[in-house]
Amino acid sequence: MEDVVDTLIPYVLKDYPEACVCPKCIDDIKALTLNNVPQHYVVTEKGEALTKARMLSSQFKADVLKEISISIKTVSKNPRHPLSEKVVSND
């Protein structure tokens, strides 16, 4: 799940140009998201294959994107640093 969230965060952040993209805020977004999506632990190759297949589903991706969006909004409202330290993406 961590790899999936790491991959999707930059895409969702494009929709939130006002969001801080400092390492602390990105880590908070990631942690909050990971705490709110189902965990997937596997110990066999079959389990890994089934998990990868599930991750390709559009519903799975939509659920993770939704959680990332919620996390971005939450962290943006409650950053762990003064707003004067806010870093805004110029992409």
Side-chain angles (χ1 to χ4, degrees):
M1 286 304 291
E2 190 171 350
D3 291 339
V4 172
V5 171
D6 280 338
T7 301
L8 294 176
I9 284 176
Y11 294 105
V12 182
L13 277 170
K14 290 178 183 178
D15 294 333
Y16 297 90
E18 72 286 352
C20 180
V21 294
C22 75
K24 190 179 287 188
C25 286
I26 296 297
D27 286 346
D28 288 346
I29 292 165
K30 179 179 172 180
L32 189 56
T33 301
L34 288 171
N35 283 329
N36 290 308
V37 293
Q39 302 304 308
H40 298 280
Y41 299 102
V42 296
V43 294
T44 65
E45 288 181 25
K46 181 179 179 182
E48 185 175 353
L50 290 171
T51 298
K52 285 183 179 180
R54 182 175 180 266
M55 289 181 181
L56 294 174
S57 80
S58 57
Q59 184 61 54
F60 172 83
K61 187 174 178 181
D63 292 343
V64 175
L65 290 170
K66 176 184 166 196
E67 288 301 328
I68 293 172
S69 294
I70 292 168
S71 297
I72 290 170
K73 291 174 188 174
T74 300
V75 171
S76 291
K77 289 179 185 175
N78 305 291
R80 289 191 304 134
H81 57 72
L83 291 177
S84 60
E85 294 179 24
K86 182 176 177 178
V87 177
V88 179
S89 173
N90 292 324
D91 292 337

